Amino acid sequence: MTEPGVEEAPASVGALVREVAAALATAHVPEARDEARDLVAALLDQPRFWPSVHRDEPVDAALVGAARAAATKRGRGAPFAYAVGRAAFRHLTLDVDERVLIPRQETEVLVDEVLAYLGGRPGGTVVDVGTGSGAIALALACEGRPDRVIATDVSLDALAVAGRNVALLRDALCAPVELRHGSALAPVAALGAGALRVVVSNPPYIAFGEAAQLPAAVRDWEPPLALYAAREGMALIAQLVREAAPLLAPGGLLAMEVDARRAILAAELAMSDGRYDDVAVRLDLAGRERFVLAVRR
């Protein structure tokens, strides 16, 4: 018997999904039933259909507590990934929270571009600038064959999240991932001229004046340090173009993800720098100009 004033815990997966769905519906979350199923599946690290097929499976108190907390957070407007504390990126499942950007599917294309450049040829040092959750660095360390991947971030909070993901995925890595704190390429400057094979980054590129145009789930939840940049969003892009050139080996790659408003501007910066060849703009999954690639002369 449940004590007075104590909410009875659901005993099965199906009952938990119903409870979460009711909470989400009360908070006016669209498609609450589907969201509840997906939320429980994510917390269990199972496919989306799993709760429907295993509705009679018993649940423990830890799962119930996590599901209730996630439903409350989702009801307050948190993105799904923050509510459940994890996000998918390529074949990886990463821990995420409000200290890092949620990895996007578009960024998977940036990883594809770098892997195509590497071409299965082993060796070299890859640097991921502004690593956040570690998504790009970890994907390249799992799928490529560099000698090492160095992931930098100006945020110690972000590096704490990335460090957790490095530890979780350690057995899947084909190359070691080293985390370094600092702005842009300053953490690797001591490696010297020509030390890097690839510099890759999804830097902050939104102008401060554009904040109001962002969806509330981005503007109100994701870390401003990873979203906004000075000089109308171009400050870190310009810094990377400038600082990557002396550190890249001849033929080394600078690869950046930006937005459609800044892709041509970023490409023009690389072309006018004079130290890059083969500057190119690639499209994202929606056909928008998104990725800027430049090869060190």
Side-chain angles (χ1 to χ4, degrees):
M1 176 181 290
T2 304
E3 296 180 16
V6 177
E7 186 178 2
E8 184 174 357
S12 68
V13 168
L16 180 59
V17 169
R18 289 192 294 273
E19 180 187 301
V20 170
L24 295 177
T26 299
H28 307 291
V29 175
E31 301 180 358
R33 175 73 184 188
D34 289 344
E35 278 257 346
R37 177 204 62 208
D38 293 349
L39 185 152
V40 172
L43 291 173
L44 288 167
D45 285 325
Q46 296 289 351
R48 295 176 63 192
F49 64 83
W50 194 93
S52 300
V53 176
H54 298 85
R55 60 177 63 90
D56 295 326
E57 289 280 331
V59 293
D60 59 24
L63 176 61
V64 172
R68 286 173 173 170
T72 298
K73 203 168 186 178
R74 189 76 177 103
R76 288 175 22 230
F80 184 88
Y82 287 159
V84 300
R86 61 200 66 189
F89 186 75
R90 296 179 73 86
H91 64 286
L92 307 175
T93 299
L94 303 170
D95 279 6
V96 297
D97 59 33
E98 292 89 333
R99 294 174 289 178
V100 298
L101 288 181
I102 298 167
R104 263 65 169 190
Q105 190 175 13
E106 289 85 358
T107 306
E108 297 186 12
V109 181
L110 180 63
V111 173
D112 283 332
E113 293 287 353
V114 175
L115 290 173
Y117 165 80
L118 293 174
R121 298 184 303 276
T125 296
V126 173
V127 175
D128 172 26
V129 176
T131 195
S133 65
I136 294 172
L138 287 163
L140 291 172
C142 288
E143 299 180 57
R145 292 190 294 162
D147 291 329
R148 62 174 171 171
V149 178
I150 301 174
T152 78
D153 207 294
V154 71
S155 167
L156 286 171
D157 284 340
L159 288 175
V161 177
R164 192 164 68 235
N165 284 320
V166 170
L168 288 171
L169 296 168
R170 193 173 304 280
D171 291 344
L173 300 180
C174 296
V177 176
E178 178 186 343
L179 304 179
R180 296 191 183 187
H181 176 239
S183 176
L185 286 160
V188 297
L191 295 179
L196 307 181
R197 187 175 178 190
V198 175
V199 172
V200 59
S201 182
N202 179 14
Y205 51 72
I206 299 169
F208 294 106
E210 295 169 343
Q213 303 171 28
L214 297 175
V218 175
R219 183 183 62 247
D220 297 342
W221 288 90
E222 301 205 58
L225 190 62
L227 292 172
Y228 306 110
R231 293 178 52 191
E232 294 300 304
M234 293 294 296
L236 190 55
I237 294 169
Q239 186 177 357
L240 287 172
V241 169
R242 184 174 63 252
E243 294 182 359
L247 291 170
L248 283 168
L253 177 70
L254 171 63
M256 299 180 291
E257 177 177 345
V258 294
D259 67 342
R261 289 170 289 190
R262 295 173 177 88
I264 296 300
L265 293 175
E268 288 174 347
L269 280 177
M271 287 187 288
S272 64
D273 180 274
R275 293 175 290 181
Y276 297 97
D277 287 324
D278 300 326
V279 178
V281 175
R282 300 277 194 262
L283 306 182
D284 67 11
L285 297 169
R288 295 167 297 200
E289 294 173 331
R290 174 75 69 173
F291 310 105
V292 177
L293 310 176
V295 176
R296 180 68 168 96
R297 182 170 295 170

